Amino acid sequence: KKSPKEEKTNYNNQQMCRVSTPIVSFIRVGDGFSASKSQIMNCLLSKRKHDAFFHRHCRESSKDCLLMEGVVEVCWFCPGGEDEDRFDNCLTFINLHGDAKKHKKQLTFLQEVSSLIVVLMSISDDNKENQKVVRDLWQSSKPLICLLDDKERTMANNSVQRVKIGLRNRNEAELTQELTTTIRRFLELSGAALSLEDCAQIARKQGFLIDEDQRDCKEAKEKAEVLMALLRETKISQMKEKLLPLQGELWHRWCKKDKEFYHLREKGNQSIEQHKSKIERKNKLYGINR
């Protein structure tokens, strides 16, 4: 096993859209909760309270999700090889904004692509539609974590792939730690992992519009591939000199001589005019015209 220091310096750059990772989806069933789903996710993703997801307590926020209703946001957790990392591997976190029962198409998609679903709900909710959504999730094969807004502690009789965690009057650090431990345990039991490109294939089958299928995006991708093919043919050390000649050695020489020209530094016994004339002759020799 490599030491943490060795692992940090062993970079393997990849396009994130092609990296297969477990997907943890957070949804909300119902309204009027005291807890914020997005805020809970932010605590999981960053110990330094970086708001990856916009929530009700953010500046300029309002209680009405006018523009965010039904939006599915994605954020990746990538460990830094530190002891304080909450998770050991890259994870994809998905956040469905709004009440899940009102966005059945998005919910169906998340049920198919997710390795684990976390649902914010109320156990005392008597809404029949809400109860049906939760019941379907509970009976599905996907691991499920229920965050109960109206309960104070983790409930007993949890199964291997089903856990109910109370949120009321909970310490934030304690709750985050319990949720982290539960997610890690569930993901160890699930070997499912998908990339963003894999998800796009599933989304196509379910009738979603994919940006990459649009004409403008296809044309831009073709042009980008032509440029990348050109760059692959050139060594990195020669790339700038060949493709951007004015920013290579010629530019370096020009800057040096131009600096000398304005500073008019005397060398030896030369007068200012002699020095100026010498610089101009060198510029002509290099093909540089001021």
Side-chain angles (χ1 to χ4, degrees), residues 215-231:
R215 188 187 67 181
D216 290 344
C217 192
K218 286 182 177 180
E219 291 178 355
K221 186 176 181 180
E222 289 173 0
K223 292 177 181 178
E225 288 175 348
V226 170
L227 179 59
M228 291 303 297
L230 178 63
L231 296 178

Side-chain angles (χ1 to χ4, degrees), residues 5 63 69 76 118 126 130 144 159 198 202 232 248 256:
K5 187 175 181 180
K63 64 178 182 179
E69 273 288 333
W76 285 275
V118 183
D126 57 1
N130 292 345
L144 181 69
S159 64
D198 296 330
I202 296 172
R232 292 189 193 100
K256 184 178 179 181

Side-chain angles (χ1 to χ4, degrees), residues 240-260 262 283 286-290:
K240 191 171 183 179
E241 182 178 351
K242 184 176 180 180
L243 300 179
L244 303 169
L246 296 181
Q247 296 186 25
E249 180 63 23
L250 186 62
W251 178 252
H252 177 73
R253 290 178 182 177
W254 187 91
C255 289
K256 184 178 179 181
K257 296 305 175 184
D258 194 60
K259 183 178 180 180
E260 290 181 9
Y262 281 103
N283 284 346
Y286 293 140
I288 301 173
N289 295 317
R290 297 191 76 258

Side-chain angles (χ1 to χ4, degrees), residues 43-55:
C43 292
L44 273 176
L45 288 164
S46 173
K47 289 186 176 181
R48 294 168 181 81
K49 303 295 180 65
H50 170 70
D51 287 332
F53 296 109
F54 191 77
H55 57 85

Side-chain angles (χ1 to χ4, degrees), residues 70-81:
V71 171
V72 176
E73 281 191 290
V74 178
C75 181
W76 285 275
F77 175 90
C78 297

Side-chain angles (χ1 to χ4, degrees), residues 145-148 154 163-167 170 175 178-179 182:
I145 299 175
C146 295
L147 302 180
L148 307 178
T154 300
V163 168
K164 297 177 182 178
I165 298 176
L167 301 182
R170 292 292 299 274
L175 172 63
E178 182 177 0
L179 189 53
T182 307

Side-chain angles (χ1 to χ4, degrees), residues 84-139:
E84 63 179 16
D85 288 337
R86 296 196 191 280
F87 305 100
D88 298 328
N89 301 306
C90 286
L91 298 178
T92 301
F93 283 86
I94 293 182
N95 184 12
L96 172 59
H97 288 273
D99 188 347
K101 73 172 180 291
K102 298 177 182 177
H103 310 289
K104 294 181 180 179
K105 193 171 184 179
Q106 290 91 323
L107 179 58
T108 300
F109 170 74
L110 294 183
Q111 284 180 281
E112 184 164 351
V113 303
S114 300
S115 306
L116 165 65
I117 294 178
V118 183
V119 54
L120 175 63
M121 55 172 286
S122 170
I123 200 167
S124 59
D125 190 347
D126 57 1
N127 182 288
K128 299 299 181 183
E129 284 188 83
N130 292 345
Q131 291 176 354
K132 183 180 185 307
V133 172
V134 173
R135 185 167 57 251
D136 291 343
L137 291 170
W138 191 266
Q139 293 174 352

